């Protein structure tokens, strides 16, 4: 093992920041995809959730412009990965809800958000995640449960329209040479009924969350190997001395501790 | 809704810090108890994992004394909750492993760790979590799987001995007037085979993790209401405008946004 730098023991850990709407805010639910990232980065990065339920790209951009949306401290510069998952709210049908954002503005907002991330987190790799598919019959059932007789009986989002926003996110990613995860497409390609990924036509079930966590980690491994963590070959675990990453571990693994002189290993 | 302070939108969030050994480091595994806390504190606190697999109270104390174990930035002072779960490694049988720490030193280490937390996180409520029970037959099976013919056939930890460390942790909590979660006892009181909580006699299964998450959140609600989050009555969710806490939300809930002038709501 390389001699650990005492700097490592001052507790400053790099970060992974998850920026988005409710699909991000709820990502620490059971089997949540945010939790899957936190598990993968254990002892290496703090995974911070900056999901804002109900927000569209316009409001998130505004929030970032006003100085919010990130921890806002000096360690922002140490952020290694930022995931950006927006569009599910932008894609409500025009006139249905105040969340609607026109397609062209959505693209422009994503580009502006990426600029701000690059400025505030210059070291971070940015991963664009496309909005997932919408299950219209589940949306209608959810409306009935929620609003009873007041339900409009028309979905406020359609899968086809959200598909346009997913394609737009991909377009922005390609323009800016950023890796992307096309959830909209990937989720619909599975060899079973993809509605199992969603609980109300919009948000993830545990199965959906598990799928998203794997898809995001796979894309990080494939496109961003410098910030990936390779799990232990034998146990599949991310947090023992069999795992590896260019991102250093906070303190030596316990089986690497100099037990004759642990004080030294711990930087004292 | 009270007028949100623009300060809230600078991205500084308070923290919950989870300090401990592998039972903490692995707490973002599927259905992990750390993830359950992150879900409960969504939009309110960043939940940071400071679990160090294999470490005992002596090494964690040393780490803290050397300046590590916390983010180490100015926001440490904004930490609202610190959970402290140590003892599972201290309790290995004497002579079995280098992790062993005598009972009296374990108590003294816990007291010293609490002192350091109080100094670095003066606003934080500290919750002592006792080590969980040990399932000896699972430990022996794990030994065989791991070491084959080299397995000693004797458990390196016993449930009875870990029970002594759990009692010692309770004693320290009582001395220092801190709330505690007696996992060792609670887990053995369930009306089914408690070995289902453990995967290798020591670490949590998903069922065990779910149990721990609920137990910790229940204790926070009961003993530390000022830092608890009450979920929405109707949906059980922690992250919509039906949830409540004395810890403020980062940015207004979307249904509280002034849609005529969202820029204003977002502190611009």
């Amino acid at each position: 093992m390389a001699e650990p730098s005492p700097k490592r023991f001052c507790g400053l850990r790099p970060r992974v920041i998850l920026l988005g709407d409710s699909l991000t805010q709820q990502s620490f639910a059971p089997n949540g995809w945010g939790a899957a990232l936190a598990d993968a980065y254990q002892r290496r990065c703090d995974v911070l959730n900056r999901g804002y339920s109900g927000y569209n790209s316009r409001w998130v951009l505004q929030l970032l412009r006003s100085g919010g949306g990130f921890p806002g401290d000096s360690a922002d510069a140490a952020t290694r990965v930022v995931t950006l998952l927006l569009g599910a709210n932008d894609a409500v049908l025009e006139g249905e809800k105040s969340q609607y954002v026109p397609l062209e503005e959505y693209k422009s907002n994503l580009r502006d958000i990426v600029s701000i991330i690059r400025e505030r987190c210059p070291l971070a790799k940015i991963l664009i995640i496309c909005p997932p598919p919408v299950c219209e019959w589940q949306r209608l059932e959810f409306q009935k449960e929620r609003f009873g007789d007041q339900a409009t009986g028309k979905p406020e989002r359609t899968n086809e329209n959200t598909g346009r926003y997913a394609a737009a996110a991909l377009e922005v990613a390609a323009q800016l040479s950023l890796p992307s995860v096309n959830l909209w497409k990937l989720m619909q390609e599975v060899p079973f009924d993809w509605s199992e990924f969603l609980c109300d036509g919009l948000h993830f079930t545990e199965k959906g969350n598990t799928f998203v966590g794997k898809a995001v980690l796979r894309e990080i491994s494939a496109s961003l190997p410098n910030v990936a963590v390779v799990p232990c070959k034998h146990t599949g675990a991310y947090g023992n001395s069999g795992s590896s990453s260019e991102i250093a571990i906070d303190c030596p693994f316990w089986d690497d501790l100099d037990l004759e002189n642990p004080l030294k290993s711990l930087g004292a």
Side-chain angles (χ1 to χ4, degrees), chain A residues 56-73:
Chain A
N56 55 27
S57 63
R58 187 188 292 161
W59 300 335
V60 168
L61 174 58
Q62 196 52 49
L63 168 65
L64 295 174
R65 281 185 174 150
S66 75
F70 285 96
D73 57 23

Side-chain angles (χ1 to χ4, degrees), chain A residues 13-19 46 48 50 64 67-84 112-127 178 224 227:
Chain A
R13 276 194 200 180
R15 288 174 178 155
V16 173
I17 293 179
L18 316 180
L19 191 59
D46 287 323
L48 303 190
R50 289 296 178 276
L64 295 174
F70 285 96
D73 57 23
S74 59
D76 274 353
T79 300
R80 301 302 303 270
V81 180
V82 177
T83 63
L84 182 57
D112 289 350
I113 289 170
V114 168
S115 288
I116 294 176
I117 297 171
R118 283 178 167 160
E119 200 175 300
R120 292 175 64 172
C121 307
L123 205 65
K125 301 294 183 186
I126 303 170
L127 181 68
L178 298 176
L224 306 169
V227 292

Side-chain angles (χ1 to χ4, degrees), chain A residues 163-190:
Chain A
R164 286 189 199 104
Y165 285 74
L170 282 187
E171 197 186 313
V172 170
Q175 278 169 358
L176 302 176
S177 302
L178 298 176
S180 56
V181 177
N182 189 349
L183 283 188
W184 191 82
K185 180 163 172 275
L186 287 173
M187 285 192 142
Q188 293 185 74
E189 284 174 351
V190 295

Side-chain angles (χ1 to χ4, degrees), chain A residues 19-26 51-55 85-89:
Chain A
L19 191 59
D21 52 33
S22 57
L23 297 172
T24 297
Q25 190 184 316
Q26 296 173 14
Y52 297 86
S53 283
Y55 280 46
L85 167 48
L86 284 168
N89 295 321

